[in-house]
Amino acid sequence: EDDTWEKSMSLKGNPAIDQDWTTYEIQFVDEYGIEDKMTIPLTFADWAMTEGRFQKHFKFVPPSQWNDDMVPLHEFIDLEHEEMAENIAYIHAVHPDSNTLVRVVIDSEIVHSTIERRNFWRTLKGLAGVDKKEVDLDAVAAQAKAEMASSIASNLMTMVGGDDASDLASMLMAAPAANAPAVTVPAAAAPTGTTPATATAAAPAEKPAGGHEPVWIETPDCTTCDECVDINPNIFKYNEDKKAMVIDPTAGTFEDIVRSAEKCTAVIIHPGTPWNPNEKNLDKLIKRAAKFQ
């Protein structure tokens, strides 16, 4: 028998396996009396609206009452909590009497249920191996070596001082960890009586091919707050010392990385730059990330 979820299940029958929601088409009469049609996502809320038991969670809103604070549900659930509080989620529908296009406002209970169903679907795809990312094992090994070297260097620099610290810095310059990028230790961080030195750490010294700067963490200073590993455990993971480290900087969205940096209680996550130039809202995310670089 197959012993993994990936081998034991298939989602090939799903009509939109690469998307969060499949779509359907509605037909309506526009404000000029002309027949028109629209293709929209079939979310949990669209289904729930057809069930009488959920009717109390919906409210029809005619075009005359539409405003800029109204956001389509499939976009609304990707907003930050602060932005959700400032906007209203809705789905499109056709009025049963006039056959005109209306917006249907949704309460928070249906919004939360929609998010849950979206997350369940993504989990199911993960179990089935859909959209599985190939992990560069060499890169992961190099990252681990770099972070270990950074941890050792940080602890030793704390224990020694004066000329001993300078000697240690020189040793680290001469024998960096294999494949580990080098960074400059700021003068303010060096022990008294030393000069800035070069040591191995998880921070990239220069941009790799393509101009992408991957996210990195000052692992030794991690306070184990769980924020980053809760947001995306495919990007962040704890090492044996319960200190957060990066295992795959491309195993999620730049938004996941920026949110992790914002939530980090020790402020030690440096987002770098987006690896996917087609991700939504990059301009806003880059601005939010700038304070943590």
Side-chain angles (χ1 to χ4, degrees):
E1 296 182 0
D2 292 327
D3 56 359
T4 64
W5 282 102
E6 185 175 345
K7 294 178 181 179
S8 303
M9 63 188 299
S10 172
L11 302 178
K12 291 182 179 179
N14 189 282
I17 197 169
D18 295 327
Q19 303 173 28
D20 285 331
W21 314 105
T22 188
T23 58
Y24 73 106
E25 189 175 89
I26 57 175
Q27 297 181 336
F28 57 93
V29 176
D30 68 15
E31 58 184 317
Y32 303 106
I34 301 174
E35 291 188 358
D36 201 352
K37 58 185 178 181
M38 177 187 296
T39 300
I40 57 179
L42 179 58
T43 68
F44 168 77
D46 291 84
W47 169 81
M49 189 171 58
T50 68
E51 298 285 308
R53 56 199 165 117
F54 293 120
Q55 290 302 307
K56 64 180 181 180
H57 301 290
F58 298 90
K59 179 181 179 181
F60 280 87
V61 179
S64 60
Q65 297 180 22
W66 294 0
N67 59 66
D68 293 338
D69 293 331
M70 302 175 74
V71 179
L73 177 62
H74 66 284
E75 297 179 6
F76 182 88
I77 60 178
D78 286 327
L79 298 177
E80 294 292 331
H81 290 297
E82 295 80 3
E83 294 178 295
M84 285 185 177
E86 298 172 354
N87 293 278
I88 302 170
Y90 76 89
I91 58 175
H92 280 110
V94 177
H95 196 285
D97 297 326
S98 62
N99 205 36
T100 55
L101 186 68
V102 295
R103 292 179 178 179
V104 183
V105 172
I106 310 155
D107 70 10
S108 60
E109 185 172 335
I110 296 297
V111 170
H112 292 154
S113 294
T114 301
I115 294 173
E116 284 185 348
R117 271 58 177 189
R118 191 268 311 272
N119 292 344
F120 290 158
W121 169 238
R122 290 180 176 178
T123 298
L124 190 62
K125 289 200 295 181
L127 292 173
V130 178
D131 298 330
K132 183 178 181 181
K133 292 182 174 65
E134 293 297 328
V135 177
D136 186 340
L137 296 180
D138 290 337
V140 173
Q143 177 80 10
K145 291 177 183 178
E147 291 179 344
M148 179 57 69
S150 174
S151 178
I152 293 173
S154 177
N155 290 335
L156 290 179
M157 291 286 275
T158 301
M159 290 189 294
V160 301
D163 294 336
D164 290 337
S166 298
D167 293 340
L168 175 60
S170 298
M171 290 169 60
L172 292 171
M173 289 175 60
N179 300 318
V183 295
T184 299
V185 179
T192 305
T194 67
T195 56
T198 300
T200 51
E206 57 184 38
K207 293 183 180 180
H212 166 230
E213 294 180 349
V215 55
W216 65 282
I217 298 180
E218 298 172 57
T219 296
D221 296 328
C222 175
T223 58
T224 318
C225 66
D226 294 337
E227 295 290 354
C228 63
V229 294
D230 283 347
I231 290 174
N232 193 321
N234 295 319
I235 298 178
F236 305 102
K237 182 180 180 181
Y238 285 131
N239 60 20
E240 294 180 354
D241 297 324
K242 199 65 173 167
K243 301 287 188 179
M245 58 183 288
V246 177
I247 56 173
D248 186 352
T250 64
T253 63
F254 189 57
E255 180 180 3
D256 290 339
I257 294 172
V258 174
R259 286 180 57 210
S260 297
E262 292 172 334
K263 296 285 187 179
C264 177
T265 58
V267 195
I268 58 170
I269 298 178
H270 306 280
T273 57
W275 65 271
N276 178 10
N278 298 316
E279 184 174 336
K280 295 189 303 182
N281 302 318
L282 276 189
D283 289 343
K284 292 182 179 179
L285 292 173
I286 291 173
K287 288 181 180 179
R288 288 165 52 187
K291 66 179 72 174
F292 305 103
Q293 305 291 19

